[in-house]
Every structure is written in C-alpha cells, then in structure tokens.
Amino acid sequence: MILSGSATQQLAAALAAELGDDLARVEYESFPDGEHIVRVPPIDGRAVVVASTVSSDAHVELLQLQDAAHEAGADEIVTVIPYMGYARQDEAFEPGEPVSARTMARAISTGTDRVVTVCPHEQSVLGFFDVPATGVDASAHLANPLPADLADPVFLAPDEGAVGLAQSVRDGYGVGETDHFEKHRHSGSDVTVTPSDVDVSGRDVVVVDDIIATGSTMSEAVGELDDPARVYVTCVHPLLVGNARLKLANAGVEAVYGTDTIERAVSTVSAAPAVAETLQSL
Ligand code: R5P
C-alpha cells in the first residue's frame, strides 16, 4: 500500500499506478495550535511512504506516516523521499553549524526498513541513513518535454557538480554538446557564475541543474550566455521558491521543466517510472 505525504499526492498516485499497488486515502488534519496529524487505513503487508520533505512540517508528516503505518499493521516500511530537504547542508560549512542532512536522515531511519530517494544533492547523503538507502536517477526523462527542433543544442550545467545531469539530459535528447559554468555562492540567494568556453551564439541552450530553489543560479547562468537562440532550463527538483519563476522569465528563459518530486506547474516529467523500477528491484 502506498501512503502519500500531503505534498506528494500526484507522484504517489502515479507510483501506485506503475506498481499496481493500492493508494491509501490518507487524511491530513491540523490542530488549532498548528500541530498536525495523519490517519491511514489498516495495512496488510508492505507500506511505501512517499513524502518529499519540502518543509519542516513535511518532515514531521513523514515521521508521522511511518509511525501510523507501523500502528496500522505494516510488516515492512519503505520510505520514498522524492525530494530530500536539508540535503544541501551535507557538512558543517561554518563552525557551530549542524550537518542537517545527517540529522534528518537519522530521524527518518528510526521509522523505516529502507529508504529510496531521488537524485539526492550528493550521493554521500545516502550514507547518513542508518538503514539501507538507495538513490534513484530520474534525469533520463528530463529531455522528453524539450522541443524536437533544438538548433545545434548545448546542454550546460551551472556548476561542475551538475555536469553528469547535463550529460544525462543530452543523452536523453540524443544530440548536442555539453559544458559547464563555474559557480561561486556568496549566500543563500547570491551567486555568481562565469561563462563556459562553448560558443552559444545562435544556438539553442538547455541549462540543467538538480534543484532550482531561488532561481539565482539559473538566472545568473542564463544571463552570462552570449547571444543564444532560445534558452530552456530543466531540473529534477523544481523547488521554485519566492520569485524564482519571475527571475527565470526575466532572464529570457523560454520554458522551465522539472519532475514531480516537487509538485509545481512545471512538473511535466514524472519520476514515478524510475522510482517504481527501483522499488521492484528491492
Ligand atoms: C547547488 O549546488 C544546487 O545544485 C543548485 O545549483 C542550487 O541549489 C540552486 O539554488 P538556487 O536556485 O537558489 O540558486
């Protein structure tokens, strides 16, 4: 049985359809003091909790779903985290800071037999869980919504860490060059990027990243492109906080694409087939 978090209902339904599993009609409620509660039906066998931890409340909800699944009779609990929040704080960058990814992973490990997460920010995050944890690559289908007539396309990563993703999207598209920018982050919303070596003049460009959060990285990268034809941006996790979508539009981006690990208007690619394949192989 699939148990969905409140922010992941579209992906959970797609996953249930892929697997032929029951989709539980979970109830979500809030108390006047702001605390939350979930209710799940009786469970016979394996429970698959599917919840992106897009907020602190979503983290709490995930922990509650795991506990509710246990109380409802599940004999095995698999936790699918399509988007793992706090994963970018995978080290203490300044003295006195926590390794938040490890904190969250440890808490999640207490209520599950194993974890599956989609394109974690760094693969090393998987090692923070105290139970077996598997990463799923959902980038292969990100090329699907791109126009079929891209002119001499260039697939660019905004930093070196996203080069593999850019190559994966290029491979999915079937043709094109890949390269990357150099990125320097000054704060949570202030980044600078320096251009890649590739001549993009008159060519269609696709900029690929794992996460678009504030949109600063993408809009800075797009702003550095010298006379491209059309520019598209695509990512696995379209967090798109604040005015990120406006920044991208102002930078001249034709279209934004992402997967349904985070349910947004741009989530045109489903991670469900890749997650289902992993679950079937466990
Ligand atoms: C960071 O290394 C990630 O790969 C993304 O580039 C980053 O999270 C994007 O954040 P923002 O949209 O806020 O620039």
Side-chain angles (χ1 to χ4, degrees):
M1 180 176 282
I2 307 284
L3 304 179
S4 177
S6 56
T8 329
Q9 297 177 45
Q10 183 177 305
L11 176 55
L15 192 56
E18 286 281 339
L19 294 169
D21 279 359
D22 291 334
L23 179 64
R25 194 172 141 172
V26 179
E27 292 174 10
Y28 317 99
E29 275 180 32
S30 300
F31 294 107
D33 60 3
E35 292 183 353
H36 306 289
I37 191 163
V38 298
R39 292 189 188 87
V40 308
I43 299 168
D44 183 19
R46 182 174 82 164
V48 179
V49 172
V50 183
S52 284
T53 50
V54 287
S55 65
S56 298
D57 277 352
H59 269 281
V60 172
E61 190 180 80
L62 181 151
L63 299 177
Q64 289 182 321
L65 283 168
Q66 291 173 329
D67 201 64
H70 177 73
E71 288 292 316
D75 60 17
E76 183 191 8
I77 299 173
V78 178
T79 300
V80 176
I81 314 169
Y83 168 73
M84 181 181 166
Y86 286 97
R88 287 179 288 175
Q89 181 78 18
D90 57 354
E91 58 183 279
F93 295 102
E94 302 284 345
E97 289 186 351
V99 182
S100 304
R102 185 180 59 202
T103 312
M104 299 305 165
R106 284 178 176 164
I108 291 166
S109 299
T110 60
T112 193
D113 295 290
R114 63 167 58 239
V115 166
V116 171
T117 187
V118 178
C119 294
H121 181 57
E122 295 286 349
Q123 289 294 316
S124 56
V125 165
L126 298 174
F128 290 146
F129 291 93
D130 296 324
V131 294
T134 308
V136 176
D137 183 1
S139 63
H141 301 294
L142 279 175
N144 293 358
L146 291 169
D149 63 347
L150 290 182
D152 195 12
V154 190
F155 295 82
L156 289 175
D159 58 33
E160 206 169 350
V163 168
L165 277 178
Q167 287 169 344
S168 173
V169 177
R170 191 274 314 273
D171 292 348
Y173 192 74
V175 63
E177 199 175 349
T178 57
D179 200 359
H180 67 88
F181 295 82
E182 297 294 338
K183 179 168 90 175
H184 301 281
R185 180 174 287 284
H186 309 291
S187 72
S189 59
D190 183 20
V191 296
T192 52
V193 294
T194 48
S196 71
D197 295 334
V198 174
D199 180 5
V200 298
S201 175
R203 303 170 72 180
D204 285 333
V205 175
V206 182
V207 192
V208 186
D209 207 351
D210 60 340
I211 303 166
I212 304 177
T214 65
S216 298
T217 300
M218 279 295 194
S219 54
E220 287 292 324
V222 171
E224 291 296 331
L225 297 171
D226 188 12
D227 196 27
R230 296 173 296 179
V231 180
Y232 298 88
V233 300
T234 186
C235 67
V236 179
H237 306 298
L239 205 49
L240 294 172
V241 297
N243 63 351
R245 189 66 188 82
L246 299 179
K247 283 184 192 167
L248 298 172
N250 281 326
V253 170
E254 296 270 340
V256 181
Y257 307 108
T259 80
D260 53 4
T261 60
I262 300 174
E263 297 180 2
R264 299 283 187 257
V266 305
S267 303
T268 48
V269 177
S270 183
V275 174
E277 198 178 326
T278 298
L279 289 174
Q280 280 162 337
S281 72
L282 294 178

